[in-house]
Amino acid sequence: MQTEPQSGELRRTMKTRHLIMLSLGGVIGTGLFFNTGYIISTTGAAGTLLAYLIGALVVWLVMQCLGELSVAMPVTGAFHVYAARYLGPATGYTVAWLYWLTWTVALGSSFTAAGFCMQYWFPHVPVWIWSALFCALIFSLNAISTRFFAEGEFWFSLIKVATILVFIILGCGVIFGFISLKDGSPAPGLTNLTSEGWFPHGGLPILMTMVAVNFAFSGTELIGIAAGETENPHQAIPVAIRATIARLILFFIGTVFVLAALIPMDVAGVEKSPFVLVFEKIGIPYAADIFNFVILTAILSAANSGLYASGRMLWSLSNEKTLPRCFARVNKNGVPLVALSVSMLGGLLALLSSVIAPDTVFVALSAISGFAVVAVWLSICASHFVFRRRHIQAGKPLAALQYRAPWYPLVPVLGFLLCLLACIGLAFDPDQRIALWCGVPFVALCYASYFLTHKTPSKEADYAAD
């Protein structure tokens, strides 16, 4: 056994289709399926469309920055490695732990939610039994091999994508009168979009919901995480980024348009998912059962992506020599089992906290998780800004970069400012303000932890443009 952290190398077994579906699978989840109703009720139909359009712009900006970095340096861990090299090792360390916690908390809530989904069909079976079974399933998918994990995620994501496409087609048919409503009422057309006014509560609610919108888009950055395990990353990453962004804009804006047009503002945001409301309006039999199945696949997909991302973060921290070397060891199939096991343990602890202390510990963890996504996007934009500037200062030609973000420095600067604005918006929403109260101290704790455990700063690594 070698003594270096790189005692095992991760294998490049993912293909472009896996990258695309991994990113879509991380994004299309409960944020789109449930939070959209809350956003419609808060900002109105037109405000929701505007909020998601701004969110799509932010995603495009961040992914352009990440694309250039990932193609130049296709390493597992991606943005935390870039932050360490271009913003300082303490920042990279903090970004990694923020992102690890994001997906670990998601694991805990996902297993609980999956158990409740199964209780819909099997009400007499305890939730914990289903949670335990899904824990074993997701861990197995990740532990066998990276290719096995990627195939599992591909099919989980495909179910969600197919459902959303059918939903958009059926919804547009109802809006414009090609499909009759179950109760026989006339086609609503676009009346619900402006029935309460363009912005019934003003512009502030749009700012307040931007973190919720960004959180709904979170997961696109998984392309960067998987870059170190992708075949031909220089070719696959640009294709995956372009395809993912195009599909996300179609799925999110199309879905929000259908929901906003079919559900009045005063009905949205209630207990039922807006998707179920629309399916019931159309008169699709077993609408609740169909949607419960789709939600289950969405939850399992998120858990699958979450365990992968959190495990790779621990592997990368160890590979960068900021965690014990055991976390960087991989088995014969190229899977970091120690890192995966510790991440799964973190997910189980989050699961326990959601049961034992839902109003204290779990609320704080969830708040940090939501804050962390935007903090990670901030670091990606800042890292790209410094990366390109140093590339130019070193006298290297831009042609040496196989993927270039357009309109530098506008793209990273605008992306950074919009992410920062979303964080500021949290301060104006009493329901989300806890994200700042918990998130900012957690960031400070991570910095303090780094400086206490690392007496001498790590020497900044040089990057290779190829």
Side-chain angles (χ1 to χ4, degrees):
M1 184 181 296
Q2 297 179 24
T3 58
E4 289 298 310
Q6 297 88 343
S7 55
E9 293 296 328
L10 300 176
R11 297 183 179 178
R12 295 189 180 276
T13 56
M14 286 198 202
K15 299 183 182 297
T16 305
R17 69 182 178 91
H18 294 138
L19 265 188
I20 294 170
M21 283 302 189
L22 173 62
S23 183
L24 290 177
V27 176
I28 299 171
T30 52
L32 177 62
F33 289 133
F34 285 101
N35 287 358
T36 305
Y38 154 74
I39 296 170
I40 291 173
S41 67
T42 304
T43 66
T48 301
L49 280 170
L50 179 59
Y52 271 98
L53 283 169
I54 295 171
L57 172 63
V58 175
V59 168
W60 184 81
L61 294 168
V62 172
M63 292 304 291
Q64 293 304 311
C65 296
L66 182 60
E68 182 172 316
L69 290 165
S70 297
V71 172
M73 297 167 287
V75 294
T76 298
F79 32 82
H80 104 82
V81 176
Y82 311 145
R85 294 182 183 181
Y86 300 107
L87 306 177
T91 301
Y93 177 85
T94 301
V95 165
W97 281 114
L98 279 169
Y99 201 66
W100 182 84
L101 185 65
T102 293
W103 285 108
T104 302
V105 172
L107 273 178
S109 55
S110 293
F111 292 136
T112 306
F116 282 121
C117 278
M118 293 304 295
Q119 247 196 350
Y120 176 81
W121 292 304
F122 305 99
H124 301 298
V125 180
V127 171
W128 71 266
I129 291 179
W130 293 115
S131 297
L133 287 173
F134 289 130
C135 282
L137 171 65
I138 296 303
F139 187 80
S140 299
L141 283 175
N142 276 266
I144 293 173
S145 71
T146 301
R147 183 67 176 271
F148 199 71
F149 150 79
E151 284 295 335
E153 186 58 30
F154 177 85
W155 292 105
F156 278 144
S157 299
L158 193 60
I159 293 171
K160 294 188 291 187
V161 168
T163 302
I164 287 175
L165 284 174
V166 170
F167 174 81
I168 292 173
I169 292 169
L170 291 176
C172 287
V174 172
I175 292 168
F176 299 109
F178 298 110
I179 299 174
S180 300
L181 284 166
K182 182 181 179 181
D183 60 5
S185 58
L190 304 180
T191 55
N192 283 329
L193 291 178
T194 56
S195 60
E196 300 289 336
W198 286 99
F199 305 107
H201 300 305
L204 184 59
I206 298 174
L207 174 63
M208 288 163 51
T209 57
M210 280 316 301
V211 165
V213 170
N214 288 342
F215 190 69
F217 277 114
S218 66
T220 48
E221 68 285 335
L222 282 168
I223 288 177
I225 294 283
E229 296 176 86
T230 302
E231 292 178 359
N232 302 316
H234 298 108
Q235 296 175 6
I237 292 173
V239 172
I241 286 176
R242 284 192 289 268
T244 299
I245 292 175
R247 285 164 173 77
L248 281 179
I249 292 173
L250 170 65
F251 295 156
F252 272 74
I253 303 304
T255 299
V256 170
F257 170 77
V258 170
L259 290 174
L262 290 179
I263 302 176
M265 181 180 173
D266 58 347
V267 177
V270 295
E271 292 182 3
K272 273 190 181 179
S273 163
F275 279 75
V276 173
L277 285 174
V278 172
F279 278 143
E280 289 178 346
K281 277 177 176 283
I282 297 172
I284 294 178
Y286 305 107
D289 291 274
I290 293 170
F291 192 68
N292 195 57
F293 173 73
V294 174
I295 284 292
L296 179 62
T297 60
I299 289 167
L300 294 179
S301 171
N304 199 34
S305 298
L307 183 58
Y308 172 83
S310 54
R312 269 27 176 211
M313 270 297 161
L314 291 186
W315 179 92
S316 185
L317 279 168
S318 179
N319 197 50
E320 295 290 309
K321 304 181 181 178
T322 52
L323 276 184
R325 63 188 56 159
C326 63
F327 289 99
R329 295 193 182 115
V330 299
N331 63 12
K332 62 181 181 180
N333 293 323
V335 176
L337 271 180
V338 174
L340 272 183
S341 300
V342 172
S343 293
M344 177 58 84
L345 178 61
L348 293 176
L349 292 175
L351 174 62
L352 285 175
S353 75
S354 70
V355 175
I356 298 170
D359 298 324
T360 52
V361 177
F362 191 71
V363 166
L365 290 176
S366 299
I368 295 169
S369 177
F371 171 82
V373 171
V374 183
V376 167
W377 287 7
L378 281 166
S379 77
I380 291 171
C381 295
S383 298
H384 173 250
F385 179 84
V386 178
F387 165 80
R388 176 75 76 88
R389 189 175 64 177
R390 291 190 185 175
H391 182 91
I392 294 169
Q393 288 173 345
K396 298 178 180 179
L398 288 179
L401 298 172
Q402 297 185 45
Y403 184 92
R404 293 195 300 277
W407 307 317
Y408 178 87
L410 176 62
V411 163
V413 171
L414 184 58
F416 185 91
L417 291 176
L418 288 175
C419 289
L420 187 61
L421 189 63
C423 289
I424 294 171
L426 290 173
F428 294 94
D429 187 350
D431 295 331
Q432 298 188 84
R433 204 172 290 152
I434 189 174
L436 289 178
W437 292 346
C438 297
V440 173
F442 183 79
V443 168
L445 181 64
C446 288
Y447 272 97
S449 171
Y450 179 85
F451 288 115
L452 286 173
T453 56
H454 297 77
K455 302 299 182 184
T456 55
S458 302
K459 186 178 179 182
E460 185 179 286
D462 295 327
Y463 82 89
D466 45 354

